[in-house]
PDB file of all heavy atoms in Angstrom:
ATOM      1  N   ASP A 129     -13.232   4.142 -12.251  1.00 98.00           N
ATOM      2  CA  ASP A 129     -11.984   4.900 -12.177  1.00 98.00           C
ATOM      3  C   ASP A 129     -10.792   3.959 -12.061  1.00 98.00           C
ATOM      4  O   ASP A 129     -10.894   2.867 -11.496  1.00 98.00           O
ATOM      5  CB  ASP A 129     -11.971   5.838 -10.963  1.00 98.00           C
ATOM      6  CG  ASP A 129     -12.817   7.084 -11.153  1.00 98.00           C
ATOM      7  OD1 ASP A 129     -13.198   7.383 -12.309  1.00 98.00           O
ATOM      8  OD2 ASP A 129     -13.101   7.752 -10.143  1.00 98.00           O
ATOM      9  N   ARG A 130      -9.684   4.402 -12.579  1.00 98.00           N
ATOM     10  CA  ARG A 130      -8.401   3.711 -12.427  1.00 98.00           C
ATOM     11  C   ARG A 130      -7.502   4.643 -11.628  1.00 98.00           C
ATOM     12  O   ARG A 130      -7.154   5.721 -12.101  1.00 98.00           O
ATOM     13  CB  ARG A 130      -7.788   3.413 -13.783  1.00 98.00           C
ATOM     14  CG  ARG A 130      -6.377   2.859 -13.676  1.00 98.00           C
ATOM     15  CD  ARG A 130      -5.820   2.553 -15.022  1.00 98.00           C
ATOM     16  NE  ARG A 130      -6.141   1.149 -15.271  1.00 98.00           N
ATOM     17  CZ  ARG A 130      -5.478   0.375 -16.107  1.00 98.00           C
ATOM     18  NH1 ARG A 130      -4.517   0.870 -16.838  1.00 98.00           N
ATOM     19  NH2 ARG A 130      -5.805  -0.884 -16.248  1.00 98.00           N
ATOM     20  N   MET A 131      -7.178   4.217 -10.420  1.00 98.00           N
ATOM     21  CA  MET A 131      -6.269   5.019  -9.600  1.00 98.00           C
ATOM     22  C   MET A 131      -4.835   4.618  -9.919  1.00 98.00           C
ATOM     23  O   MET A 131      -4.486   3.441  -9.888  1.00 98.00           O
ATOM     24  CB  MET A 131      -6.517   4.792  -8.097  1.00 98.00           C
ATOM     25  CG  MET A 131      -7.730   5.457  -7.558  1.00 98.00           C
ATOM     26  SD  MET A 131      -7.745   5.565  -5.726  1.00 98.00           S
ATOM     27  CE  MET A 131      -7.371   3.909  -5.213  1.00 98.00           C
ATOM     28  N   ILE A 132      -4.034   5.619 -10.224  1.00 98.00           N
ATOM     29  CA  ILE A 132      -2.598   5.418 -10.380  1.00 98.00           C
ATOM     30  C   ILE A 132      -1.974   5.817  -9.047  1.00 98.00           C
ATOM     31  O   ILE A 132      -2.114   6.959  -8.606  1.00 98.00           O
ATOM     32  CB  ILE A 132      -2.018   6.266 -11.532  1.00 98.00           C
ATOM     33  CG1 ILE A 132      -2.759   5.979 -12.852  1.00 98.00           C
ATOM     34  CG2 ILE A 132      -0.510   6.034 -11.654  1.00 98.00           C
ATOM     35  CD1 ILE A 132      -2.698   4.544 -13.327  1.00 98.00           C
ATOM     36  N   LEU A 133      -1.336   4.862  -8.422  1.00 98.00           N
ATOM     37  CA  LEU A 133      -0.776   5.036  -7.082  1.00 98.00           C
ATOM     38  C   LEU A 133       0.732   5.185  -7.182  1.00 98.00           C
ATOM     39  O   LEU A 133       1.378   4.435  -7.922  1.00 98.00           O
ATOM     40  CB  LEU A 133      -1.095   3.810  -6.233  1.00 98.00           C
ATOM     41  CG  LEU A 133      -2.532   3.334  -6.227  1.00 98.00           C
ATOM     42  CD1 LEU A 133      -2.628   1.899  -5.713  1.00 98.00           C
ATOM     43  CD2 LEU A 133      -3.379   4.254  -5.381  1.00 98.00           C
ATOM     44  N   THR A 134       1.276   6.124  -6.429  1.00 98.00           N
ATOM     45  CA  THR A 134       2.733   6.252  -6.356  1.00 98.00           C
ATOM     46  C   THR A 134       3.131   6.418  -4.898  1.00 98.00           C
ATOM     47  O   THR A 134       2.458   7.106  -4.135  1.00 98.00           O
ATOM     48  CB  THR A 134       3.275   7.447  -7.170  1.00 98.00           C
ATOM     49  OG1 THR A 134       2.670   8.657  -6.705  1.00 98.00           O
ATOM     50  CG2 THR A 134       2.996   7.284  -8.645  1.00 98.00           C
ATOM     51  N   VAL A 135       4.198   5.755  -4.527  1.00 98.00           N
ATOM     52  CA  VAL A 135       4.797   5.946  -3.207  1.00 98.00           C
ATOM     53  C   VAL A 135       6.291   6.108  -3.396  1.00 98.00           C
ATOM     54  O   VAL A 135       6.892   5.492  -4.277  1.00 98.00           O
ATOM     55  CB  VAL A 135       4.500   4.779  -2.237  1.00 98.00           C
ATOM     56  CG1 VAL A 135       3.017   4.701  -1.910  1.00 98.00           C
ATOM     57  CG2 VAL A 135       5.018   3.457  -2.744  1.00 98.00           C
ATOM     58  N   GLU A 136       6.860   6.974  -2.569  1.00 98.00           N
ATOM     59  CA  GLU A 136       8.304   7.173  -2.592  1.00 98.00           C
ATOM     60  C   GLU A 136       8.803   7.265  -1.164  1.00 98.00           C
ATOM     61  O   GLU A 136       8.249   8.019  -0.349  1.00 98.00           O
ATOM     62  CB  GLU A 136       8.669   8.442  -3.355  1.00 98.00           C
ATOM     63  CG  GLU A 136      10.151   8.619  -3.487  1.00 98.00           C
ATOM     64  CD  GLU A 136      10.544   9.682  -4.506  1.00 98.00           C
ATOM     65  OE1 GLU A 136       9.661  10.223  -5.194  1.00 98.00           O
ATOM     66  OE2 GLU A 136      11.750   9.957  -4.603  1.00 98.00           O
ATOM     67  N   ARG A 137       9.823   6.492  -0.877  1.00 97.00           N
ATOM     68  CA  ARG A 137      10.399   6.495   0.471  1.00 97.00           C
ATOM     69  C   ARG A 137      11.084   7.833   0.708  1.00 97.00           C
ATOM     70  O   ARG A 137      11.899   8.278  -0.103  1.00 97.00           O
ATOM     71  CB  ARG A 137      11.392   5.346   0.605  1.00 97.00           C
ATOM     72  CG  ARG A 137      11.943   5.172   1.996  1.00 97.00           C
ATOM     73  CD  ARG A 137      12.744   3.863   2.038  1.00 97.00           C
ATOM     74  NE  ARG A 137      13.309   3.662   3.342  1.00 97.00           N
ATOM     75  CZ  ARG A 137      14.567   3.955   3.662  1.00 97.00           C
ATOM     76  NH1 ARG A 137      15.392   4.439   2.754  1.00 97.00           N
ATOM     77  NH2 ARG A 137      15.002   3.737   4.885  1.00 97.00           N
ATOM     78  N   THR A 138      10.761   8.463   1.841  1.00 97.00           N
ATOM     79  CA  THR A 138      11.342   9.767   2.173  1.00 97.00           C
ATOM     80  C   THR A 138      12.279   9.695   3.375  1.00 97.00           C
ATOM     81  O   THR A 138      13.082  10.606   3.565  1.00 97.00           O
ATOM     82  CB  THR A 138      10.235  10.806   2.447  1.00 97.00           C
ATOM     83  OG1 THR A 138       9.392  10.317   3.499  1.00 97.00           O
ATOM     84  CG2 THR A 138       9.409  11.067   1.197  1.00 97.00           C
ATOM     85  N   ALA A 139      12.153   8.651   4.182  1.00 96.00           N
ATOM     86  CA  ALA A 139      13.011   8.495   5.363  1.00 96.00           C
ATOM     87  C   ALA A 139      12.874   7.070   5.872  1.00 96.00           C
ATOM     88  O   ALA A 139      11.957   6.354   5.487  1.00 96.00           O
ATOM     89  CB  ALA A 139      12.602   9.491   6.456  1.00 96.00           C
ATOM     90  N   GLY A 140      13.766   6.699   6.773  1.00 89.00           N
ATOM     91  CA  GLY A 140      13.630   5.393   7.395  1.00 89.00           C
ATOM     92  C   GLY A 140      14.890   4.918   8.065  1.00 89.00           C
ATOM     93  O   GLY A 140      15.988   5.299   7.676  1.00 89.00           O
ATOM     94  N   ALA A 141      14.681   4.122   9.114  1.00 78.00           N
ATOM     95  CA  ALA A 141      15.780   3.482   9.839  1.00 78.00           C
ATOM     96  C   ALA A 141      15.199   2.410  10.740  1.00 78.00           C
ATOM     97  O   ALA A 141      14.025   2.470  11.117  1.00 78.00           O
ATOM     98  CB  ALA A 141      16.533   4.517  10.682  1.00 78.00           C
ATOM     99  N   SER A 142      15.992   1.414  11.077  1.00 73.00           N
ATOM    100  CA  SER A 142      15.621   0.368  12.035  1.00 73.00           C
ATOM    101  C   SER A 142      14.304  -0.321  11.707  1.00 73.00           C
ATOM    102  O   SER A 142      13.468  -0.528  12.573  1.00 73.00           O
ATOM    103  CB  SER A 142      15.538   0.960  13.447  1.00 73.00           C
ATOM    104  OG  SER A 142      16.768   1.505  13.812  1.00 73.00           O
ATOM    105  N   GLY A 143      14.080  -0.652  10.441  1.00 81.00           N
ATOM    106  CA  GLY A 143      12.895  -1.416  10.068  1.00 81.00           C
ATOM    107  C   GLY A 143      11.633  -0.609   9.854  1.00 81.00           C
ATOM    108  O   GLY A 143      10.574  -1.164   9.619  1.00 81.00           O
ATOM    109  N   VAL A 144      11.713   0.716   9.946  1.00 91.00           N
ATOM    110  CA  VAL A 144      10.559   1.574   9.719  1.00 91.00           C
ATOM    111  C   VAL A 144      10.893   2.525   8.573  1.00 91.00           C
ATOM    112  O   VAL A 144      11.965   3.120   8.546  1.00 91.00           O
ATOM    113  CB  VAL A 144      10.193   2.399  10.970  1.00 91.00           C
ATOM    114  CG1 VAL A 144       9.020   3.314  10.697  1.00 91.00           C
ATOM    115  CG2 VAL A 144       9.876   1.480  12.134  1.00 91.00           C
ATOM    116  N   SER A 145       9.964   2.661   7.619  1.00 94.00           N
ATOM    117  CA  SER A 145      10.171   3.569   6.492  1.00 94.00           C
ATOM    118  C   SER A 145       9.001   4.536   6.389  1.00 94.00           C
ATOM    119  O   SER A 145       7.853   4.157   6.635  1.00 94.00           O
ATOM    120  CB  SER A 145      10.272   2.787   5.174  1.00 94.00           C
ATOM    121  OG  SER A 145      11.414   1.968   5.173  1.00 94.00           O
ATOM    122  N   GLU A 146       9.303   5.766   6.016  1.00 97.00           N
ATOM    123  CA  GLU A 146       8.255   6.745   5.764  1.00 97.00           C
ATOM    124  C   GLU A 146       8.153   6.946   4.260  1.00 97.00           C
ATOM    125  O   GLU A 146       9.172   6.971   3.561  1.00 97.00           O
ATOM    126  CB  GLU A 146       8.561   8.077   6.433  1.00 97.00           C
ATOM    127  CG  GLU A 146       7.432   9.085   6.205  1.00 97.00           C
ATOM    128  CD  GLU A 146       7.595  10.356   6.999  1.00 97.00           C
ATOM    129  OE1 GLU A 146       7.195  10.376   8.165  1.00 97.00           O
ATOM    130  OE2 GLU A 146       8.137  11.328   6.434  1.00 97.00           O
ATOM    131  N   PHE A 147       6.919   7.067   3.786  1.00 98.00           N
ATOM    132  CA  PHE A 147       6.647   7.250   2.365  1.00 98.00           C
ATOM    133  C   PHE A 147       5.722   8.428   2.153  1.00 98.00           C
ATOM    134  O   PHE A 147       4.858   8.700   2.974  1.00 98.00           O
ATOM    135  CB  PHE A 147       5.942   6.001   1.796  1.00 98.00           C
ATOM    136  CG  PHE A 147       6.804   4.783   1.736  1.00 98.00           C
ATOM    137  CD1 PHE A 147       6.929   3.949   2.834  1.00 98.00           C
ATOM    138  CD2 PHE A 147       7.496   4.461   0.577  1.00 98.00           C
ATOM    139  CE1 PHE A 147       7.717   2.811   2.788  1.00 98.00           C
ATOM    140  CE2 PHE A 147       8.289   3.326   0.519  1.00 98.00           C
ATOM    141  CZ  PHE A 147       8.398   2.498   1.628  1.00 98.00           C
ATOM    142  N   ARG A 148       5.900   9.080   1.029  1.00 98.00           N
ATOM    143  CA  ARG A 148       4.921  10.039   0.541  1.00 98.00           C
ATOM    144  C   ARG A 148       4.112   9.293  -0.498  1.00 98.00           C
ATOM    145  O   ARG A 148       4.674   8.649  -1.389  1.00 98.00           O
ATOM    146  CB  ARG A 148       5.602  11.239  -0.103  1.00 98.00           C
ATOM    147  CG  ARG A 148       4.598  12.275  -0.592  1.00 98.00           C
ATOM    148  CD  ARG A 148       5.262  13.382  -1.413  1.00 98.00           C
ATOM    149  NE  ARG A 148       4.328  14.374  -1.872  1.00 98.00           N
ATOM    150  CZ  ARG A 148       3.289  14.171  -2.669  1.00 98.00           C
ATOM    151  NH1 ARG A 148       3.007  12.981  -3.090  1.00 98.00           N
ATOM    152  NH2 ARG A 148       2.505  15.157  -3.052  1.00 98.00           N
ATOM    153  N   GLY A 149       2.778   9.356  -0.376  1.00 98.00           N
ATOM    154  CA  GLY A 149       1.923   8.644  -1.309  1.00 98.00           C
ATOM    155  C   GLY A 149       0.968   9.572  -2.030  1.00 98.00           C
ATOM    156  O   GLY A 149       0.580  10.620  -1.492  1.00 98.00           O
ATOM    157  N   GLU A 150       0.616   9.182  -3.247  1.00 98.00           N
ATOM    158  CA  GLU A 150      -0.333   9.966  -4.044  1.00 98.00           C
ATOM    159  C   GLU A 150      -1.117   9.020  -4.940  1.00 98.00           C
ATOM    160  O   GLU A 150      -0.563   8.072  -5.495  1.00 98.00           O
ATOM    161  CB  GLU A 150       0.417  10.984  -4.891  1.00 98.00           C
ATOM    162  CG  GLU A 150      -0.489  11.840  -5.751  1.00 98.00           C
ATOM    163  CD  GLU A 150       0.287  12.874  -6.533  1.00 98.00           C
ATOM    164  OE1 GLU A 150       0.506  13.982  -6.002  1.00 98.00           O
ATOM    165  OE2 GLU A 150       0.705  12.564  -7.669  1.00 98.00           O
ATOM    166  N   ALA A 151      -2.416   9.277  -5.044  1.00 98.00           N
ATOM    167  CA  ALA A 151      -3.273   8.543  -5.975  1.00 98.00           C
ATOM    168  C   ALA A 151      -3.914   9.554  -6.906  1.00 98.00           C
ATOM    169  O   ALA A 151      -4.442  10.575  -6.450  1.00 98.00           O
ATOM    170  CB  ALA A 151      -4.350   7.776  -5.216  1.00 98.00           C
TER     171      ALA A 151
END
Side-chain angles (χ1 to χ4, degrees):
D129 284 345
R130 173 179 268 203
M131 285 196 310
I132 304 300
L133 311 162
T134 58
V135 294
E136 184 167 355
R137 186 171 179 261
T138 57
S142 301
V144 178
S145 295
E146 182 172 276
F147 291 86
R148 181 188 181 299
E150 180 178 272

